Amino acid sequence: MKAEIRVALVGNPNTGKSTLFNLLTGLNQKVGNFPGVTVDKKTGYCNLPDGRRAEIIDLPGTYSLYPKSRDESIVFSVLADKGNQQAPDLVVVILDASNLKRNLLLYTQVADLKIPVVVALNMMDVAKKDGISIKVDSLAAKLGVPVVPISARRNEGIDELKKNISYANKFALQQDSIDVKAIAPQLVDAIGEEMQIDNPYYALQLAHQHEHLTFLSESESSRIEQLEQTYNFHSQKAQATETIARYNFINDLLYDTVKVKEAAHEENTSNRIDRILTHRVFGFLIFFGILLFIFQAIFAWSAYPMELIETLFVWMQTGVHQMLPAGPLTDLLADGVIAGLSGVLVFIPQIAILFAFIAILEDTGYMARVTFMMDKVMRKVGLNGKSVVPLIGGFACAVPSIMSTRTIENWKDRMITIMVTPLISCSARLPVYTLLIALVVPSRNVWWIFNLQGLALTAMYLLSMISAVVVAWVMKHILKARERGYFIMELPVYRMPRWNNVLLTMFDRAKTFVLEAGKVIIAVSVILWVLSSYGPGDTFQQIEKKYQEPQYGQKMKPSEIEHAIASEKLESSYAGHLGHVIEPVIKPLGFDWKIGIALITSFAAREVFVGTMATIYSVDNADEIQSVKAKMANARNPETGKPTFTLAVAFSLMMFYAFAMQCASTVAIVYRETKDWRWPAVQFLYMTVLAYGASFITYMLLK
Amino acid sequence: MKKLSQLQVGKKGVIKEFTDLEMSLKLMEMGCLPGEEIVIERVAPLGDPIAINVSGYMLSLRKQEASTIILQ
Ligand SMILES: Nc1nc2c(ncn2[C@@H]2O[C@H](COP(=O)(O)OP(=O)(O)OP(=O)(O)O)[C@@H](O)[C@H]2O)c(=O)[nH]1
Ligand SMILES: [Mg+2]
């Protein structure tokens, strides 16, 4: 259904735009307590009290209309593209009532563009607690626009805001804030004439930003450039003049509308928490303690639910085998699809716990402190404090994390962050690691509380962080800087995590993971099953024929013959051929052709590994129904008769999965964010080389 | 001439001017204007960046950036 009015939410970062967006639209846009959570625009719909339907646009936060980073530039391009169908009819400017002065800067800029505006005064609860009293009516009168006090987190004032949106005027009624023309009088007039613009501030903005605006044609842009030369326009000086003028206006405005209680200002709760969490010694200890705790929890808390899911799937598999007539389709369903799915669905508890912890870190405001503490280290290795957010997000999934690098202002810092984020151990590697660790590392406690398997997993995560840092450091010396880097960032106050948000995020992300992984796994399972159940020409018939010869019947039991037929068939199937093709390459890493098949299928997505193992080892010994782990534990090297998955092989395999770029979605997103295929190409290459090298060394050392 | 980067933790200062135009644009947008009072709240564990309180909120910036701010 088409919307009758288009409303954009604009405001400083971390003022509650997405919280409000979710309330208005019923959607579940990501919310978090640090600046720069939203990095792209997102639309949803809302029914207004007058029966109309409004399209709501959530935007990244920005401190001014002059963008400093990729995410911020989206805001002006949405507001300014007048010819576009997407241009908003109304802007709701969200102001943080506890920090009005800085927030009003953006308001005055938006207001001067003369788009109809409604002001939502958010965080009224915080303002009240801080002893800030705001005369809302006189503020509204002075600005000439409706001002609605709300508290998005507590769902207060939202109906009033909706009313104001639906009764908002089609015309901009706001008072002028500053004398824009005075900044560059002749230029503003000249651009206005040239481009048929009657709004002086819009003309001035074009003068500042024409080089980066995609909706201007090249000739328009160069015409503006000429005018700038003619009138001797200095963009930075003009911006400085403008900002100072705006703050003068704001100071006048706030003088008799806002009162701040002076007392009790010194030690607020956030400060007291910061004293401990960013303490000189304890700061880092606490941070590493938290990380260690998370990894231990992932292992410990998930054991029971995982067992439950595993049992459920074995039961389902048995059920399918018993209920349906024996035949290739039943095998496909039971041994291909169900086994493949179980391989990943078993890990839902672990992934959900991981997502919950990351949501808590982001929701409390602690993430911003980690950024603050890590900046110096990060800078040393060519990154930026802000790289911490994508890197920690990388524990969950590299794809949204690479998008979140948009908040990093400096080009070089951002590129290096994009290049190393896929090294961080993501949740798709978790199933692979857990399975292999469970196979070769005993579940024993050392030093009372540390589980040996948990420690092994923690080591894999540590390794991923170290490798990201080292690679970043190398790239720091290769890439050339385009501009100066800086780190000027707001540290938000601590907030309690909203537990329902944490639960919802956990549920949502887990669901997406299952759906996405599920699709790939079913597809790959089917293909793999076909490839491993058929062979070229009449090889399969010949194998059957071979074992019917009397010499076998005398020497072997029927079950042994069946087993021999199955394994020989697998080896000469299409999949077997594929595995054998790459076997020479991976032999030095300790992998046989069956693992080779898993490596090939994993190139679309890592989590397919477990399903592939399930499928391959079911074809091999179809007579028993076991969990994947049991199947792999029973796997024997046909020549030596020793277990296939020794310590050396398992760790070599983990190294391969730690470094290799086995994720099509990441390649795609890196291309989208860099707009140059060379970045993903280089990334793919260096990661493959690292993977091979690390696997080789590991295998040599442990063999 | 005292720079913001030379101020001790817990001490106050009032901004007079900037030495770097480009940096000053970002700083002013964030509320660091001439005449504004600044308190150094804390220093990161490794000695850089620092966190300051300006017009009622907490801002972190590197020492290098703080050194472009001249105090009265
Ligand atoms: N106390 C209080 N907190 C709020 C209120 N509204 C939002 N928050 C919190 O403020 C933080 C930021 O909320 P978001 O909705 O992510 O803010 P945003 O403006 O979308 O932020 P960016 O996407 O980073 O620009 C979250 O921790 C919210 O829970 C409110 O009315 N009162
Ligand atoms: Mg947001």
Side-chain angles (χ1 to χ4, degrees):
Chain A
M1 202 168 97
K2 231 183 107 231
E4 286 133 297
I5 175 171
R6 196 169 285 113
V7 183
L9 305 182
V10 174
N12 281 184
N14 211 39
T15 49
K17 296 177 296 299
S18 301
T19 312
L20 177 63
F21 176 85
N22 290 345
L23 276 180
L24 292 174
T25 62
L27 293 177
N28 188 23
Q29 197 38 346
K30 186 173 173 188
V31 166
N33 189 19
F34 62 94
V37 178
T38 310
V39 292
D40 208 350
K41 64 178 177 202
K42 163 107 183 164
T43 52
Y45 294 91
C46 168
N47 291 320
L48 296 177
D50 62 0
R52 283 189 301 166
R53 204 170 144 81
E55 182 182 301
I56 313 284
I57 312 169
D58 188 21
L59 289 169
T62 182
Y63 293 102
S64 97
L65 288 183
Y66 300 108
K68 305 288 183 290
S69 55
R70 282 276 307 273
D71 55 330
E72 293 187 350
S73 67
I74 293 171
V75 179
F76 186 68
S77 62
V78 166
L79 295 186
D81 196 354
K82 297 258 163 82
N84 192 330
Q85 291 291 306
Q86 305 292 316
D89 307 303
L90 176 75
V91 174
V92 174
V93 178
I94 289 102
L95 303 180
D96 175 352
S98 66
N99 189 2
L100 259 187
K101 195 173 182 177
R102 197 201 64 212
N103 275 253
L104 276 165
L105 177 75
L106 180 66
Y107 164 80
T108 63
Q109 291 180 331
V110 173
D112 283 348
L113 287 176
K114 299 295 176 196
I115 305 169
V117 179
V118 170
V119 168
L121 212 49
N122 195 25
M123 312 247 180
M124 285 305 282
D125 54 315
V126 184
K128 212 165 283 165
K129 215 182 74 217
D130 288 356
I132 300 171
S133 67
I134 304 169
K135 290 184 192 154
V136 175
D137 292 335
S138 85
L139 190 65
K142 284 189 173 184
L143 295 175
V145 298
V147 176
V148 190
I150 66 170
S151 184
R153 186 164 152 134
R154 301 177 170 196
N155 199 352
E156 286 168 9
I158 306 302
D159 288 336
E160 191 60 30
L161 181 66
K162 279 190 195 168
K163 259 186 234 155
N164 275 279
I165 292 174
S166 57
Y167 301 135
N169 234 293
K170 278 210 174 54
F171 305 102
L173 297 177
Q174 56 263 33
Q175 304 286 331
D176 283 328
S177 59
I178 60 166
D179 184 3
V180 172
K181 266 197 186 169
I183 297 170
Q186 291 149 314
L187 180 66
V188 165
D189 282 338
I191 292 180
E193 216 165 285
E194 174 77 26
M195 305 278 300
Q196 316 270 309
I197 299 166
D198 48 11
N199 180 324
Y201 190 54
Y202 186 53
L204 184 67
Q205 281 286 347
L206 289 189
H208 284 295
Q209 300 202 43
H210 63 92
E211 285 164 61
H212 311 290
L213 295 174
T214 47
F215 59 85
L216 291 179
S217 71
E218 224 160 87
S219 66
E220 283 174 325
S221 183
S222 63
R223 195 65 198 111
I224 294 176
E225 185 66 40
Q226 271 173 15
L227 290 173
E228 281 180 25
Q229 308 264 317
T230 320
Y231 295 109
N232 229 336
F233 180 69
H234 191 298
S235 175
Q236 291 184 339
K237 279 184 193 156
Q239 272 186 50
T241 316
E242 181 190 330
T243 306
I244 290 176
R246 290 193 184 282
Y247 270 109
N248 282 335
F249 168 81
I250 293 165
N251 282 334
D252 285 348
L253 182 76
L254 294 181
Y255 180 72
D256 53 359
T257 47
V258 174
K259 288 269 169 308
V260 183
K261 228 183 15 223
E262 273 304 323
H265 202 71
E266 285 306 312
E267 264 299 74
N268 58 27
T269 324
S270 264
N271 253 334
R272 270 196 300 256
I273 299 176
D274 263 340
R275 253 208 199 153
I276 302 164
L277 292 188
T278 64
H279 186 272
R280 280 176 59 181
V281 182
F282 303 131
F284 280 111
L285 281 181
I286 292 172
F287 177 52
F288 291 121
I290 289 175
L291 287 186
L292 195 67
F293 175 77
I294 292 177
F295 298 137
Q296 286 289 320
I298 287 173
F299 230 83
W301 299 356
S302 61
Y304 182 69
M306 283 175 74
E307 240 165 69
L308 217 68
I309 298 176
E310 200 158 285
T311 324
L312 188 78
F313 269 99
V314 171
W315 175 79
M316 262 170 64
Q317 232 176 320
T318 324
V320 169
H321 269 301
Q322 283 170 353
M323 311 275 283
L324 299 179
L329 261 171
T330 307
D331 287 349
L332 167 64
L333 191 64
D335 302 331
V337 175
I338 294 184
L341 277 181
S342 82
V344 161
L345 295 196
V346 157
F347 295 95
I348 293 176
Q350 293 196 334
I351 287 160
I353 293 172
L354 176 69
F355 283 137
F357 275 114
I358 290 181
I360 292 172
L361 290 186
E362 293 182 339
D363 224 27
T364 48
Y366 184 63
M367 202 66 119
R369 270 65 186 189
V370 178
T371 310
F372 174 64
M373 288 195 292
M374 296 289 283
D375 180 63
K376 190 167 180 186
V377 188
M378 296 305 235
R379 208 178 340 153
K380 284 242 162 68
V381 300
L383 296 166
N384 183 301
K386 289 188 181 172
S387 311
V388 169
V389 176
L391 290 182
I392 291 186
F395 287 128
C397 177
V399 175
S401 300
I402 284 172
M403 277 185 73
S404 74
T405 60
R406 288 183 187 180
T407 59
I408 301 174
E409 296 92 351
N410 181 281
W411 176 83
K412 182 177 168 183
D413 293 356
R414 175 161 180 257
M415 284 305 154
I416 297 181
T417 311
I418 290 178
M419 291 302 270
V420 303
T421 298
L423 285 173
I424 296 292
S425 195
C426 68
S427 53
R429 286 173 174 113
L430 196 54
V432 182
Y433 292 165
T434 315
L435 184 62
L436 292 170
I437 287 175
L439 217 49
V440 295
V441 179
S443 173
R444 200 153 37 82
N445 271 22
V446 283
W447 305 316
W448 303 289
I449 48 165
F450 294 112
N451 183 287
L452 213 53
Q453 294 185 338
L455 279 182
L457 187 70
T458 311
M460 289 310 292
Y461 276 94
L462 266 179
L463 173 79
S464 77
M465 287 186 266
I466 293 170
S467 61
V469 163
V470 172
V471 172
W473 181 80
V474 172
M475 290 197 170
K476 174 186 163 187
H477 296 284
I478 298 174
L479 281 183
K480 278 199 193 62
R482 285 190 184 169
E483 73 262 288
R484 281 193 304 183
Y486 60 85
F487 180 78
I488 299 176
M489 198 186 77
E490 177 180 2
L491 294 177
V493 295
Y494 286 102
R495 289 185 227 281
M496 272 308 275
R498 285 150 315 141
W499 298 109
N500 55 346
N501 180 53
V502 171
L503 280 179
L504 209 65
T505 312
M506 183 172 112
F507 180 76
D508 220 50
R509 301 286 132 85
K511 194 178 82 185
T512 320
F513 179 85
V514 168
L515 289 182
E516 292 300 311
K519 267 188 286 185
V520 181
I521 285 163
I522 291 179
V524 174
S525 298
V526 172
I527 294 171
L528 183 67
W529 184 84
V530 171
L531 287 182
S532 54
S533 308
Y534 298 93
D538 61 346
T539 34
F540 275 32
Q541 281 102 310
Q542 282 183 358
I543 294 170
E544 300 246 0
K545 223 157 106 212
K546 183 174 115 190
Y547 281 96
Q548 272 162 13
E549 285 168 19
Q551 66 197 74
Y552 291 102
Q554 287 157 6
K555 269 192 284 172
M556 297 160 85
K557 282 186 266 159
S559 71
E560 278 174 349
I561 292 184
E562 216 170 285
H563 187 93
I565 292 178
S567 23
E568 205 161 312
K569 271 185 180 172
L570 176 66
E571 193 158 0
S572 51
S573 68
Y574 291 109
H577 278 285
L578 264 179
H580 278 297
V581 167
I582 67 159
E583 194 174 23
V585 184
I586 56 174
K587 195 121 205 197
L589 313 182
F591 307 156
D592 62 8
W593 58 274
K594 285 183 188 167
I595 299 177
I597 298 173
L599 292 187
I600 293 175
T601 55
S602 294
F603 263 93
R606 304 179 169 93
E607 56 271 35
V608 174
F609 171 80
V610 184
T612 305
M613 287 285 128
T615 308
I616 290 176
Y617 290 107
S618 313
V619 176
D620 204 5
N621 43 16
D623 45 336
E624 281 171 80
I625 291 157
Q626 303 165 310
S627 68
V628 190
K629 186 184 146 196
K631 281 178 192 155
M632 288 169 70
N634 289 337
R636 293 275 180 272
N637 183 329
E639 282 146 39
T640 60
K642 291 200 181 109
T644 310
F645 291 95
T646 58
L647 191 76
V649 171
F651 271 91
S652 166
L653 201 51
M654 279 198 270
M655 286 301 157
F656 194 87
Y657 276 80
F659 290 107
M661 167 65 109
Q662 298 156 304
C663 179
S665 323
T666 305
V667 176
I669 197 84
V670 170
Y671 172 70
R672 215 182 81 188
E673 292 294 309
T674 57
K675 300 213 168 64
D676 187 344
W677 60 265
R678 280 177 296 184
W679 290 108
V682 167
Q683 193 172 38
F684 187 88
L685 217 70
Y686 96 75
M687 288 179 72
T688 309
V689 170
L690 275 185
Y692 197 88
S695 271
F696 182 72
I697 294 170
T698 310
Y699 185 61
M700 285 300 148
L701 289 179
L702 294 179
K703 193 170 64 167
Chain B
M1 204 175 76
K2 189 159 188 166
K3 296 173 184 166
L4 177 64
S5 52
Q6 295 161 336
L7 214 58
Q8 302 281 308
V9 175
K11 293 285 186 302
K12 290 179 188 176
V14 176
I15 301 179
K16 186 171 161 224
E17 59 193 7
F18 304 95
T19 58
D20 183 316
L21 180 59
E22 189 191 338
M23 200 71 79
S24 77
L25 291 179
K26 173 76 181 167
L27 288 167
M28 288 201 292
E29 278 173 3
M30 302 295 284
C32 301
L33 286 129
E36 200 74 35
E37 187 183 86
I38 287 183
V39 185
I40 308 276
E41 290 279 359
R42 66 192 73 256
V43 177
L46 299 174
D48 193 21
I50 58 174
I52 61 173
N53 192 313
V54 54
S55 70
Y57 82 99
M58 185 106 91
L59 184 69
S60 76
L61 71 173
R62 291 179 183 160
K63 283 232 165 105
Q64 206 272 320
E65 287 129 28
S67 69
T68 68
I69 301 179
I70 309 287
L71 302 175
Q72 279 176 9

